[in-house]
Amino acid sequence: MKIIDLNKETINDITSALLKRSPSQYTEYENTVNSILADIREKGDEALFEYTAKFDGFTLTPENITVTKKEIEDAYAELDPEYIEVIKKAAENIRDFHSKQLRNSWFETKPDGSLLGMKITALEKVGVYVPGGKAAYPSSVLMNIVPAKVAGVDKIYMCTPPGKTGKINAGTLVAADIAGADVIFKAGGAQAIGAMAFGTECIPKVDKITGPGNIFVALAKKAVYGFVSIDSIAGPSEVMVLADETANPHYVAADLLSQAEHDELASAILVTTDRSLADKVNAEIEEYLKTLSRADIIRKSLDNYGFALIASNINDAIDAVNTVASEHLEILTKDPFDTMTKIRNAGAIFLGEYSSEPLGDYFAGPNHILPTNGTARFFSPVNVDDYIKKSSVIYYSKEALKRDSKSIELFANNEGLTAHANSIHVRFENE
């Protein structure tokens, strides 16, 4: 990693570099994505089947597009039983954590006969996108579907690309079954996003689409937003470690590499008040790279987006953390709980040397679908609220409305909306 002194100029340079990885920057692919979406909207299954044959090499038909019970049973038989139990335990942890986020409708009545409230309703249909091939992550299946089930979504449809033989990754199918997917479709890419957004003969239109994907999937989600809701437009993975002289460089290096191995655009940043720690971390990284299977990817990731920022004091270090607003933040300081109180912007916060980032990726329970590219300043992790909607409820008695009628009419007339004012006025025009 490049070791640099932290100052206003260096942090601005780094945040600018990180923002360039956002899917919104890849405008050269937008025409392709928009063309695919237009075809899906116009031709439905015909276009979906054509794109699946073109991109995935599999001939889809109405008869084989839906994953069968037998295929799910075969997936269970293919996996190590111990791994299946781990998936089940992870799903249980995720379910328990997200169950604590549930909200209740509420209503408040007043002596004048008026009633105000908020009605909480789960979304009716949600579509979950799951990448295929080498990027098959059963953990992400759990993180998308389990909160939706907890929220009470009626129907969860999952789309994932088939292999050339029509086979779906066994771990993906088992995780989807354990999490509670209602129907699984063999469809991937921007064409699957279009199918869920607009509906085809085989794939129903949904209310919201969640889940990660490549640049084409990300841009497709961006393009269909408004026709449906989406969770976010996810960028490459990020980890930031905030550490002082008490941190263990062996652990710090391991944690930075755990995200750098995702892809060449992943970022891994150490912010520390101890320059010697940065030197030790770099030495540890070189040792790890001798044995890690994705060492080539890690090296390119660190060459492009790996930094060790040396801050003159802990407050400057914390300011840098809040400026970058990283997806994952590990705090390895003498008192991580106290440090955490000063953090405003981070997708997920991991405290202490035994709370490394992969704990959140797989098992602890909080969601690992997190805001990236600095959007932790205003976005949250995926949670139960992503799968509900709220409706305001208003009831006024005649007496309550009469009391406020003149105020409402005055407001409406001052905005030049006389029909608004009239809607109130006519109810008392004979009094």
Side-chain angles (χ1 to χ4, degrees), residues 11-82:
I11 197 64
N12 286 341
D13 289 344
I14 289 170
T15 52
S16 295
L18 295 179
L19 286 173
K20 291 177 182 177
R21 307 169 312 139
S22 168
S24 298
Q25 301 295 320
Y26 291 82
T27 54
E28 66 267 30
Y29 301 117
E30 286 184 345
N31 288 338
T32 299
V33 168
N34 290 336
S35 177
I36 292 171
L37 295 176
D39 284 346
I40 296 294
R41 195 173 185 186
E42 180 182 350
K43 301 177 184 177
D45 278 347
E46 179 186 349
L48 178 63
F49 296 169
E50 288 175 358
Y51 283 117
T52 302
K54 179 179 179 180
F55 297 131
D56 300 311
F58 178 66
T59 302
L60 268 186
T61 67
E63 291 72 35
N64 67 14
I65 190 173
T66 304
V67 171
T68 65
K69 184 177 179 181
K70 174 68 164 57
E71 287 175 294
I72 294 174
E73 291 172 352
D74 289 345
Y76 273 95
E78 188 177 329
L79 290 190
D80 182 340
E82 185 177 0

Side-chain angles (χ1 to χ4, degrees), residues 350-393:
F350 301 79
L351 303 176
E353 63 181 14
Y354 295 105
S355 304
S356 64
E357 189 279 333
L359 176 67
D361 270 353
Y362 296 111
F363 209 72
N367 213 290
H368 78 198
I369 304 169
L370 303 166
T372 58
N373 285 113
T375 60
R377 288 191 297 272
F378 44 83
F379 280 144
S380 304
V382 164
N383 59 85
V384 167
D385 281 358
D386 285 297
Y387 299 99
I388 64 169
K389 56 180 180 156
K390 309 174 188 77
S391 301
S392 306
V393 177

Side-chain angles (χ1 to χ4, degrees), residues 89-169:
K89 178 58 179 173
E92 181 183 330
N93 291 344
I94 297 165
R95 190 175 297 111
D96 181 62
F97 180 84
H98 288 81
S99 293
K100 295 176 175 63
Q101 301 171 354
L102 281 168
R103 298 185 184 216
N104 295 315
S105 301
W106 60 269
F107 303 94
E108 178 186 39
T109 57
K110 296 182 179 180
D112 62 9
S114 62
L115 177 149
L116 301 175
M118 186 72 71
K119 183 177 181 294
I120 305 294
T121 308
L123 299 182
E124 183 181 355
K125 292 178 286 186
V126 166
V128 173
Y129 185 82
V130 177
K134 294 180 180 179
Y137 298 120
S139 57
S140 288
V141 177
L142 301 180
M143 295 292 181
N144 278 280
I145 296 176
V146 172
K149 294 296 289 188
V150 170
V153 173
D154 291 349
K155 286 285 186 180
I156 300 173
Y157 301 101
M158 190 178 100
C159 282
T160 189
K164 294 184 184 301
T165 63
K167 183 178 173 60
I168 303 295
N169 177 274

Side-chain angles (χ1 to χ4, degrees), residues 248-276:
N248 184 327
H250 194 57
Y251 296 163
V252 172
D255 295 353
L256 290 168
L257 299 186
S258 73
Q259 292 307 294
E261 77 169 344
H262 269 292
D263 63 61
E264 296 167 9
L265 293 176
S267 74
I269 301 174
L270 168 65
V271 184
T272 182
T273 52
D274 183 11
R275 182 176 291 271
S276 67

Side-chain angles (χ1 to χ4, degrees), residues 79-87:
L79 290 190
D80 182 340
E82 185 177 0
Y83 181 33
I84 294 172
E85 290 305 310
V86 168
I87 294 174

